[in-house]
Amino acid sequence: MSDDRQTKAFPVSWDQFHRDARALAWRLAGAGPFVGIVCITRGGLVPAAIVARELGVRLIETVCIASYHDYKNQGAMEVLKPIAEAVTAAAGAKGQGLLVIDDLVDTGSTARVVREMLPEAHFATVYAKPLGRPLIDTFITEVSQDTWIYFPWDMGLTFQPPIRDGVA
């Protein structure tokens, strides 16, 4: 989604993201057991690690899909690395028993690509926007479509001038 359409900012700290990812694991505990996790890179790496730890899942795979090519502008989907055959063999060709994890479902473009690969997998994200929400099974927090989520791995610490210096 283009930056000019994003009107609301939703910054997420490491602490908040960790709490939200653990809440996702709590919600997923009753949906399993899962034979493995497929995380959608790069955003799904951090929540997948947290969920895998909480649920005791050891088989973790990545599917590498590029959609944001210049930070905020979403472009064409490109599968950089498909899911390993050993993982789909362990779960079943359609993904039965697999848990697919991502940080966010936005328009649903990435989720659609992975759903075609694993139509029977359980899809979970930490955050969801309305356009992508129908494509996932479990999420924690819904934000409006015009919200840009600033994930902790995308931010750095910078000096903030005191309010007395005229910065609001």
Side-chain angles (χ1 to χ4, degrees), residues 52-70:
R53 178 196 181 273
E54 296 299 331
L55 299 184
V57 177
R58 298 280 182 171
L59 178 62
I60 302 168
E61 170 62 319
T62 60
V63 58
C64 304
I65 299 177
S67 62
Y68 284 91
H69 303 287
D70 64 353

Side-chain angles (χ1 to χ4, degrees), residues 24-41:
L24 181 64
W26 185 266
R27 196 166 281 172
L28 290 167
F34 299 105
V35 296
I37 291 175
V38 175
C39 66
I40 300 173
T41 68

Side-chain angles (χ1 to χ4, degrees), residues 13-25 50 126 140:
S13 69
W14 280 109
D15 287 343
Q16 183 63 51
F17 190 81
H18 189 248
R19 280 191 298 273
D20 290 345
R22 288 191 77 222
L24 181 64
I50 295 166
V126 182
I140 293 301

Side-chain angles (χ1 to χ4, degrees), residues 2 4 6 16 21 25-26 43 52 63 66-67 79 88 90 92 95 107-108 118 127 135 143 146 149 151 155:
S2 158
D4 59 343
Q6 302 295 326
Q16 183 63 51
W26 185 266
V63 58
S67 62
V79 178
T88 55
T107 63
L118 302 169
Y127 305 106
L135 294 162
V143 298
D146 63 345
I149 300 174
F151 288 102
M155 297 186 295

Side-chain angles (χ1 to χ4, degrees), residues 91-143:
K94 294 185 178 188
Q96 306 94 328
L98 287 178
L99 174 60
V100 176
I101 300 272
D102 206 353
D103 56 352
L104 164 73
V105 62
D106 188 332
T107 63
S109 299
T110 303
R112 265 186 213 87
V113 170
V114 180
R115 268 266 182 228
E116 288 176 15
M117 296 175 192
L118 302 169
E120 294 182 18
H122 188 99
F123 279 63
T125 61
V126 182
Y127 305 106
K129 293 185 180 182
L131 288 176
R133 201 175 73 126
L135 294 162
I136 59 167
D137 302 304
T138 305
F139 69 96
I140 293 301
T141 301
E142 183 171 357
V143 298

